[in-house]
Amino acid sequence: MKHKIWLYILAISIVFLWGATFVNTKVLYNAGLHPLDIFIIRFVIAYLCIWTISPRTLWANSWRDELNMVWLGITGGSLYFLAENYAVGLSLVTNVSFLVCTAPLVTVILGLAFVKSIKASWKLILGSLVAVIGVGLVIFNGHFVLHLNPLGDFLALVASFAWAIYSLLMKKISNQYSAIFITRKVFFYGLVTVLPIYLFEPWTTSWSMLCEPKIWINLVFLGVIASFVCFLLWAWVIAKIGAMKASNLIYLNPVSTFVTSAIFLDEPITIMSFLGSAFILLGVSIANKAKGI
């Protein structure tokens, strides 16, 4: 039991760090970095880091497993982060955070539809709905005005679906390979599958931009902490507590987003955001007590 508590503390810490990345990405975007460049630099840093500890085994045990690694790289790497980065540039950070954080609900829906071992239960459904209400309260922060940008919000939903698929694929393969090996593959295939976009979008980030402290500090955080460390630990957490339980913790993401935005962007935290946080915690607690996930 004590071991599981530490696993949940670790998972929640990862989610809180990921919640901060919406602010990091927005800072970089406002500083002039292209969303594609942000992703490439972030994943190159992470890939170089993981090679320092990764076994030199190049391939998975079968071509099917290798193909699953490709899909992990796309859904948890190139597709997810490009969709999220472009969404942050096109829409409000609050919109993007709310829509991306529907990933646990999408994971539940896809899991019930396609994974036989996952069964519907009233705790799972009720907990997910309560957490979604909480996310909405935190994101809208008492204003309840959604400033729509159709393309930006659509891309945020694409990111949500990509992460849901990533979580279910990780559930399938996390017990067969080490977290280090899987994470290295995610970074590699994330980079490989995004490179063709440079045929249409030129590189725009200059070396002088990268030398600015505000830019390189945020990039190092995204590459080393939010990608290398957090992805590695997340793969291990999924193997220990399961994809559905881990995925439900993503609902805590906007709590971190609002705390960091209050600190670095001077955005206020209201009573409504605290109420929403309570709903999120309650929903996550209910959902994670469900059997069969």
Side-chain angles (χ1 to χ4, degrees):
M1 183 64 183
K2 186 177 180 181
H3 179 59
K4 279 218 167 186
I5 291 174
W6 280 107
L7 283 172
Y8 279 101
I9 291 174
L10 174 61
I12 290 169
S13 300
I14 294 169
V15 170
F16 269 65
L17 285 170
W18 278 340
T21 63
F22 289 99
V23 175
N24 296 104
T25 302
K26 191 69 174 183
V27 168
L28 292 170
Y29 182 85
N30 289 340
L33 269 70
H34 192 280
L36 181 58
D37 296 354
I38 295 172
F39 168 76
I40 286 289
I41 297 170
R42 174 178 182 168
F43 261 45
V44 165
I45 293 172
Y47 189 65
L48 293 175
C49 287
I50 202 162
W51 262 107
T52 64
I53 62 170
S54 176
R56 295 302 180 257
T57 304
L58 293 179
W59 308 106
N61 296 333
S62 68
W63 68 267
R64 286 188 177 85
D65 286 351
E66 191 68 27
L67 184 60
N68 280 328
M69 299 293 180
V70 175
W71 282 113
L72 285 171
I74 293 172
T75 56
S78 55
L79 178 59
Y80 173 81
F81 281 106
L82 278 186
E84 181 186 286
N85 288 358
Y86 276 100
V88 166
L90 292 169
S91 189
L92 298 176
V93 171
T94 51
N95 282 31
V96 177
S97 179
F98 173 69
L99 292 171
V100 169
C101 286
T102 61
L105 184 60
V106 177
T107 305
V108 168
I109 294 170
L110 294 179
L112 293 174
F114 298 107
V115 182
K116 293 181 179 179
S117 62
I118 297 174
K119 306 297 182 184
S121 71
W122 71 266
K123 287 184 179 180
L124 180 59
I125 296 171
L126 176 62
S128 297
L129 292 176
V130 170
V132 166
I133 293 171
V135 170
L137 292 175
V138 171
I139 294 301
F140 297 139
N141 208 15
H143 300 294
F144 295 100
V145 178
L146 186 65
H147 300 281
L148 290 173
N149 180 303
L151 179 57
D153 294 337
F154 171 75
L155 288 173
L157 285 174
V158 170
S160 174
F161 271 86
W163 190 261
I165 295 170
Y166 173 81
S167 297
L168 293 175
L169 288 173
M170 188 66 78
K171 172 183 174 67
K172 179 180 179 181
I173 207 166
S174 60
N175 291 323
Q176 302 176 42
Y177 297 91
S178 71
I180 296 175
F181 181 79
I182 295 172
T183 305
R184 194 192 80 204
K185 286 290 187 178
V186 170
F187 293 154
F188 175 75
Y189 284 118
L191 287 168
V192 168
T193 54
V194 84
L195 288 177
I197 298 179
Y198 277 110
L199 296 174
F200 310 98
E201 294 278 359
W203 179 273
T204 59
T205 303
S206 66
W207 284 109
S208 61
M209 294 171 67
L210 295 176
C211 291
E212 295 179 22
K214 179 175 68 174
I215 290 179
W216 68 257
I217 290 173
N218 280 283
L219 286 172
V220 168
F221 175 81
L222 290 174
V224 178
I225 305 300
S227 294
F228 168 55
V229 175
C230 288
F231 265 71
L232 182 63
L233 293 176
W234 192 253
W236 182 70
V237 165
I238 286 179
K240 295 296 182 181
I241 69 175
M244 303 301 292
K245 290 182 183 293
S247 181
N248 279 326
L249 297 174
I250 298 293
Y251 285 123
L252 298 169
N253 199 303
V255 179
S256 173
T257 302
F258 264 90
V259 171
T260 53
S261 64
I263 295 172
F264 296 104
L265 302 178
D266 295 322
E267 294 183 0
I269 297 180
T270 67
I271 295 297
M272 192 64 71
S273 65
F274 281 107
L275 180 62
S277 299
F279 268 82
I280 292 170
L281 291 171
L282 177 62
V284 169
S285 176
I286 294 172
N288 280 317
K289 289 180 181 178
K291 296 181 179 180
I293 63 172

